[in-house]
Amino acid sequence: MTSPTSGRARQAARNDVTILAAAKEVFLADKRAPVAAVADRAGVGISALYRRYAGKEDLLRKLCHDGLRTFIDQAEQASAAADDWAAFETFVHGVVDADVHSLTVHLAGTFTPTDEMSADAVRADELASALFERARPQMRPEAVPADLTMLLEMCAAVRVPDPVRTTSLRRRYLAMLLDGLRAGAALPGPAPTWLEINWRWLPRPDDPAVNSRE
């Protein structure tokens, strides 16, 4: 027989999934939206949301950390492939299909990362760089891991109202981008710098989207 406690726990878990899905939709549309808009979209009371998250920053941090963990999972799974280019390509396709970068790029700088997030970010970078290095012999000689970051962001920028069509278009342009990454004519201009890759994560205390309970 199911106990009332276990029933409440399952309901809380369902609420959390619903809240996170709603938060992704709301904050992708407007990162300055209040948490009340998330509760409305999720169809739950604001108290149910606050039982899970102390405020907007906690919710933003959870969304981005989940995306970071998905990135790591995709990289770890792809690393098992024996063929170097296949491992790299599988990883990139997995990250694009999981829509990891839409939120991380859009919400960067709107919350303070935890130490755990920072450690996971280092792990994600190590895994992605290792996969890149495995595939490097088949790439243009001037390609660098930072180029991969920009390519993933380009794919994340592709978005139309139909989610299925969005996925289809992203795969189309990812195929073009991967072909462009393979060995060929020299690329114009220098690769992106560390600052160009990470500027969005630098503190911006004047941003009104940062850490408001509402």
Side-chain angles (χ1 to χ4, degrees):
M1 181 175 179
T2 302
S3 70
T5 301
S6 63
R8 286 194 295 269
R10 285 198 298 272
Q11 182 60 49
R14 286 194 294 268
N15 283 347
D16 197 40
V17 171
T18 302
I19 288 169
L20 290 174
K24 182 175 181 179
E25 293 177 5
V26 168
F27 293 135
L28 274 177
D30 180 9
K31 65 182 178 182
R32 292 177 173 79
V35 291
V38 176
D40 287 344
R41 180 70 63 88
V44 302
I46 193 70
S47 59
L49 190 151
Y50 281 133
R51 279 196 294 271
R52 301 290 298 178
Y53 304 98
K56 181 176 178 178
E57 184 173 7
D58 282 347
L59 189 51
L60 295 173
R61 188 160 37 231
K62 170 65 173 173
L63 287 171
C64 285
H65 201 175
D66 283 353
L68 181 58
R69 286 168 172 155
T70 297
F71 184 99
I72 291 172
D73 287 344
Q74 292 295 331
E76 289 177 341
Q77 292 175 35
S79 297
D83 181 82
D84 293 335
W85 182 262
F88 175 73
E89 193 170 36
T90 297
F91 160 63
V92 176
H93 275 280
V95 169
V96 170
D97 282 352
D99 198 16
V100 169
H101 283 69
S102 291
L103 270 177
T104 54
V105 170
H106 190 64
L107 300 182
T110 62
F111 61 87
T112 302
T114 63
D115 290 342
E116 185 181 7
M117 286 187 72
S118 297
D120 280 345
V122 171
R123 174 63 174 160
D125 183 66
E126 291 172 347
L127 288 166
S129 294
L131 285 163
F132 188 94
E133 291 302 324
R134 285 179 60 183
R136 184 189 286 278
Q138 298 183 57
M139 295 182 188
R140 297 169 180 272
E142 68 273 29
V144 297
D147 291 318
L148 174 60
T149 300
M150 292 297 192
L151 293 179
L152 291 172
E153 291 186 12
M154 291 176 196
C155 289
V158 176
R159 183 178 297 277
V160 296
D162 181 354
V164 174
R165 183 63 177 144
T166 292
T167 298
S168 176
L169 287 170
R170 285 177 176 173
R171 289 174 178 173
R172 174 184 176 87
Y173 295 113
L174 177 57
M176 294 182 186
L177 292 169
L178 286 173
D179 281 348
L181 191 58
R182 285 180 178 271
L187 295 171
T193 66
W194 180 92
L195 184 60
E196 288 169 334
I197 292 293
N198 293 285
W199 67 269
R200 62 178 66 85
W201 292 103
L202 300 179
R204 287 177 284 165
D206 57 333
D207 189 338
V210 176
N211 194 28
S212 65
R213 184 173 174 85
E214 291 296 330

